[in-house]
């Protein structure tokens, strides 16, 4: 073991990123991963000739000329993957009224469609669209405080950041800093209200949605042509090419500590590995309360893990269908006329992903369609203890979805060749994310604006990366978080932070 050796827990996006930057800066790193493959929640798996993509819906900042693009270049992502600009973010289909609205990259068209839907809300629609345009023009979309970790920002950096945000300041306070669900209470049309609340999540601040629309309008939202599989593989390849090592099916059960310094890890099979530095890019709750036994918990951490809400977990139902969907957008939100129950909750709508934009996911003429429904952790976690009831419930939910799809795509039931259902329990089993929270903390206004330290007070040589220290998660923040810990490490070791860009 040397000062320069680094152990990383977790080969999700944050762990792989931390590994790449550690290698670029002369540290010898190795990653221990619980699952048999990399990616964490950016997961893809094969079933009966279909490729199911259970992760990333879109990537932001995939075009050259932005700091984010440089991050993707450093990690070998853009050299290998192809991205398809999103022109329709989502279609909203209201079963009760039969009305449908497309949220398009053409903001003029979007404004006009929303005003036709609800003339009484014209002023509010104008306000939102003009906010999105201001965001788009401001240039702050791609690097809001991410280039450097907050820990390393000096007053000049902070001033620069404030200056770069001068045109959009007003959107980070007042009504635009409130959750969309609150803001949307002023909306007259119930359908428009539902659309606004479901553009992302009802709890996100209004500014978050303005940014989303700005990215869409700026053609900075891309679909992954090769899905999570190719995306993750490209970073794993980059890591290995830099000399990094990953061990799969290697669950860390304890972080070894001596004299308040992290010195290594113990795996579930009892083997111990020593290192000068330990980085956890794994689930936050288990890192802090299990792997470290709750020994380095201050009042802020207690507050966070007691009171902050987690993102609501989901059931994901994927169908392999012997049918093409040539004219459908890749995402449709169905607002159901007849909700159905899962446990104690009613499903009033679901998002459908249609993987019709790439040949990667299904044989020619066939398509994967995938419904994503919010659900409860406790319900599925309890149900799983009785495997036959659990499986039966998965089958029932798949049937409910299919019967709804039948109304929109007649005969689809007879064309289904493959059905796959994953639950919050599945998310936990493969990634160990607390209560199946696939993106960590719920991105509310407070959580999004609260920086979480990457270190634990009282514990030296230990860092955290990933969605549990980047509230709201997401690909860019998680990749940046891996970069951040190595930047902090380099500063600690008194050396410049280095990056490199691989050739194709
Ligand atoms: C369905 C879905 C859609 C999404 N859509 C988008 C999107 O459109 N755009 C976007 O930007 N983001 C999106 N995200 C979010 C983004 O993918 C995640 O925030 C990000 O991938 C999280 O990466 P991570 O490395 O922090 O965590 P994880 O992916 O959870 O990785 C943690 C890794 O640590 C491993 N691990 C945990 N405990 C241990 C242990 N004890 N020992 C060893 N290994 C361990 C896990 O197995 C896992 O591989 C989406 C996520 C999902 C699930």
């Amino acid at each position: 073991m040397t000062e320069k050796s680094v152990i990383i827990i977790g080969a999700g996006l944050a762990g792989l990123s931390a590994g790449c930057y550690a290698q670029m800066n002369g540290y010898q790193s190795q990653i221990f991963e619980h699952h048999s493959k990399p990616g964490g929640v950016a997961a893809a798996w094969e079933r009966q000739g279909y490729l199911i993509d259970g992760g990333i819906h879109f990537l932001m900042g995939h075009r050259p000329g932005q700091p984010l693009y440089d991050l993707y270049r450093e990690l070998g992502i853009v050299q290998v993957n192809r991205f398809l600009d999103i022109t329709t973010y989502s279609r909203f289909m209201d079963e009760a009224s039969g009305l449908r609205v497309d949220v398009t990259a053409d903001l003029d068209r979007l404004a006009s469609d929303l005003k036709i839907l609800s003339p009484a809300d014209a002023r509010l629609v104008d306000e939102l669209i003009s906010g999105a345009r201001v965001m788009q023009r401001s240039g702050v979309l791609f690097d809001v405080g991410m280039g450097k970790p907050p820990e390393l920002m000096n007053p000049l950096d902070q001033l620069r950041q404030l200056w770069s945000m001068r045109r959009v300041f007003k959107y980070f306070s007042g009504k635009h800093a409130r959750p969309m669900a609150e803001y949307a209470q002023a909306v007259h049309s119930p359908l428009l209200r539902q659309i606004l609340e479901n553009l992302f999540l009802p709890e996100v601040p209004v500014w978050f949605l303005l940014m989303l629309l700005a990215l869409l309008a700026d053609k900075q939202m891309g679909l992954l042509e090769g899905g999570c599989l190719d995306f993750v593989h490209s970073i794993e390849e980059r890591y290995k090419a830099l000399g990094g090592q990953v061990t799969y099916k290697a669950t860390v059960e304890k972080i070894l500590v001596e004299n308040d310094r992290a010195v290594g890890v113990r795996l579930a099979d009892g083997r111990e590995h020593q290192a000068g530095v330990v980085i956890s890019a794994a689930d936050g709750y288990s890192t802090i309360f299990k792997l470290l036994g709750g020994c380095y918990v201050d009042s802020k951490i207690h507050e966070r893990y007691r009171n902050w809400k987690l993102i609501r977990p989901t059931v994901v139902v994927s169908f392999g269908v012997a049918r093409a969907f040539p004219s459908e957008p890749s995402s449709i939100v169905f607002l159901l006329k007849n909700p159905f129950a899962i446990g104690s909750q009613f499903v009033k709508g679901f998002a459908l992903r249609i993987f019709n934009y790439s040949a990667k996911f299904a044989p020619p003429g066939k398509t994967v369609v995938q419904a994503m429904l919010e659900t409860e952790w406790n319900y599925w976690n309890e149900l799983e203890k009785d495997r036959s009831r659990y499986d039966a419930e998965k089958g029932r939910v798949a049937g409910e979805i299919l019967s709804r799809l039948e109304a929109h795509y007649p005969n689809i039931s007879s064309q289904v060749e493959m059905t796959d259902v994953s639950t919050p329990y599945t998310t936990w089993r493969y990634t160990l994310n607390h209560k199946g929270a696939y993106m960590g903390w719920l991105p509310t206004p407070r959580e999004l604006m609260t920086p979480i330290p990457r270190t634990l007070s009282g514990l030296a040589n230990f860092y955290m990366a990933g969605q549990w220290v980047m509230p709201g998660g997401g690909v860019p923040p998680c990749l940046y978080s891996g970069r951040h810990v190595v930047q902090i490490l380099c500063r600690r070791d008194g050396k410049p932070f280095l990056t490199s860009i691989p050739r194709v």
Side-chain angles (χ1 to χ4, degrees):
M1 194 256 293
T2 67
E3 285 282 303
K4 291 270 199 173
S5 57
V6 175
I7 283 177
I8 298 166
I9 308 171
L13 298 184
L16 289 171
S17 166
C20 288
Y21 287 106
Q23 294 298 127
M24 285 181 222
N25 283 280
Y27 297 95
Q28 287 108 47
S29 69
Q30 56 176 325
I31 302 179
F32 293 107
E33 165 55 46
H34 161 73
H35 193 13
S36 56
K37 50 189 179 182
V41 296
W45 56 99
E46 284 180 26
R47 287 280 181 281
Q48 297 165 238
Y50 290 91
L51 178 66
I52 300 173
D53 196 298
I56 310 170
H57 293 188
F58 59 82
L59 189 74
M60 62 183 245
H62 63 288
R63 282 168 175 272
Q66 304 293 342
L68 245 184
Y69 188 81
D70 293 337
L71 173 84
Y72 299 148
R73 282 208 309 158
E74 289 165 3
L75 292 171
I77 293 170
V78 282
Q79 293 88 334
V80 178
N81 293 274
R82 273 198 63 211
F83 304 97
L84 310 163
D85 291 347
I86 296 182
T87 50
T88 300
Y89 172 74
S90 203
R91 168 170 296 165
F92 284 82
M93 183 72 225
D94 181 39
E95 290 189 342
S97 64
L99 291 171
R100 71 178 208 197
V101 175
D102 285 355
V103 177
T104 62
D106 178 347
L107 294 186
D108 289 332
R109 185 183 144 194
L110 177 61
S112 154
D113 288 352
L114 295 180
K115 287 188 217 170
I116 291 169
L117 173 71
S118 177
D121 290 309
R123 212 173 58 80
L124 183 135
V125 169
D126 282 337
E127 181 179 84
L128 287 175
I129 299 295
S130 86
R133 288 216 171 88
V134 173
M135 289 275 182
Q136 188 186 355
R137 283 194 300 266
S138 72
V140 298
L141 293 175
F142 309 102
D143 192 25
V144 201
M146 299 261 189
K148 250 190 186 181
E151 290 88 337
L152 300 188
M153 281 211 184
N154 59 35
L156 193 61
D157 294 323
Q158 284 162 354
L159 267 179
R160 273 202 203 105
Q161 195 181 329
L162 289 178
W163 179 249
S164 72
M165 293 177 69
R166 66 197 178 284
R167 292 194 187 89
V168 294
F169 258 140
K170 68 172 183 176
Y171 295 104
F172 291 91
S173 62
K175 62 182 170 185
H176 296 103
R178 283 165 35 207
M180 185 41 112
E182 266 179 43
Y183 179 87
Q185 277 172 14
V187 173
H188 294 89
S189 152
L191 178 53
L192 178 57
R193 195 176 313 131
Q194 275 186 292
I195 291 173
L196 294 178
E197 288 179 358
N198 290 291
L199 269 177
F200 200 76
L201 291 168
E203 292 87 354
V204 297
V206 178
W207 59 256
F208 185 96
L209 291 169
L210 298 182
M211 278 194 170
L212 206 80
L213 291 176
L215 284 164
L216 179 66
D218 217 35
K219 302 234 172 5
Q220 287 287 358
M221 244 184 215
L223 294 167
L224 278 53
E225 192 186 52
C228 285
L229 189 69
D230 289 359
F231 186 82
V232 168
H233 191 237
S234 61
I235 314 175
E236 188 205 29
E237 283 298 299
R238 170 76 170 132
Y239 177 58
K240 287 183 176 165
L242 284 162
Q245 261 184 40
V246 197
T247 310
Y248 293 105
K249 294 189 178 176
T251 308
V252 172
E253 67 164 28
K254 188 173 170 52
I255 295 170
L256 303 173
V257 175
E258 283 171 12
N259 301 324
D260 292 327
R261 307 176 85 77
V263 294
V265 295
R266 184 192 303 144
L267 303 183
D269 65 8
R271 279 179 298 158
E272 293 193 352
H273 297 265
Q274 313 289 318
V277 169
V278 176
I279 298 171
S280 176
D283 167 63
Y285 179 83
S286 45
T287 296
I288 293 171
F289 294 97
K290 294 185 180 166
L291 308 188
L292 285 166
C295 295
Y296 298 94
V297 177
D298 60 20
S299 58
K300 285 192 176 152
I301 295 176
H302 264 308
E303 205 274 322
R304 206 177 300 138
Y305 282 90
R306 265 197 209 125
N307 299 330
W308 283 24
K309 290 194 176 129
L310 307 180
I311 197 143
R312 287 178 288 279
T314 54
V315 176
V316 178
V317 183
S318 305
F319 299 107
V321 190
R323 172 180 190 146
F325 293 79
S327 50
E328 297 294 82
S330 62
S331 167
I332 303 181
V333 175
F334 290 101
L335 303 169
L336 298 180
K337 191 171 172 187
N338 299 310
F340 65 95
I342 303 182
S344 64
Q345 281 187 341
F346 273 92
V347 177
K348 295 183 184 150
F350 61 83
L352 189 75
R353 291 175 83 184
I354 303 182
F355 292 84
N356 55 356
Y357 50 86
S358 161
K360 181 87 187 179
F361 303 101
K366 303 182 179 183
T367 315
V368 173
V369 297
Q370 181 184 78
M372 198 168 161
L373 304 75
E374 289 188 349
T375 186
E376 298 161 301
W377 160 254
N378 284 343
Y379 177 68
W380 291 99
N381 189 40
E382 282 304 310
L383 203 58
E384 195 279 334
K385 291 172 185 148
D386 179 342
R387 203 64 205 193
S388 62
R389 280 184 58 222
Y390 175 76
D391 288 341
E393 181 64 346
K394 291 204 309 185
R396 183 190 71 86
V397 171
E400 292 280 6
I401 296 293
L402 204 54
S403 69
R404 264 86 186 163
L405 292 181
E406 191 66 39
H408 301 274
Y409 308 106
N411 294 328
I412 190 171
S413 305
S414 65
Q415 296 161 333
V416 170
E417 297 183 333
M418 177 281 299
T419 302
D420 179 274
V421 182
S422 73
T423 74
Y425 180 82
T426 320
T427 305
W428 175 80
R429 183 155 66 101
Y430 288 114
T431 70
L432 299 180
N433 273 296
H434 191 43
K435 299 189 173 184
Y438 62 94
M439 271 173 49
W441 306 110
L442 188 68
T444 65
R446 177 188 65 172
E447 276 68 351
L448 283 172
M449 296 306 261
T450 307
I452 298 180
R454 325 303 154 86
T455 50
L456 296 178
S457 156
L459 180 61
N461 300 347
F462 174 77
Y463 301 88
M464 286 177 75
Q467 57 190 3
W468 293 93
V469 289
M470 299 299 268
V475 175
C478 291
L479 294 176
Y480 265 125
S481 75
R483 196 177 192 269
H484 286 170
V485 290
V486 179
Q487 284 173 292
I488 296 170
L489 205 52
C490 287
R491 171 69 65 88
R492 183 200 77 168
D493 293 346
K495 50 191 229 169
F497 173 71
L498 303 174
T499 62
S500 61
I501 292 174
R503 296 233 174 95
V504 182

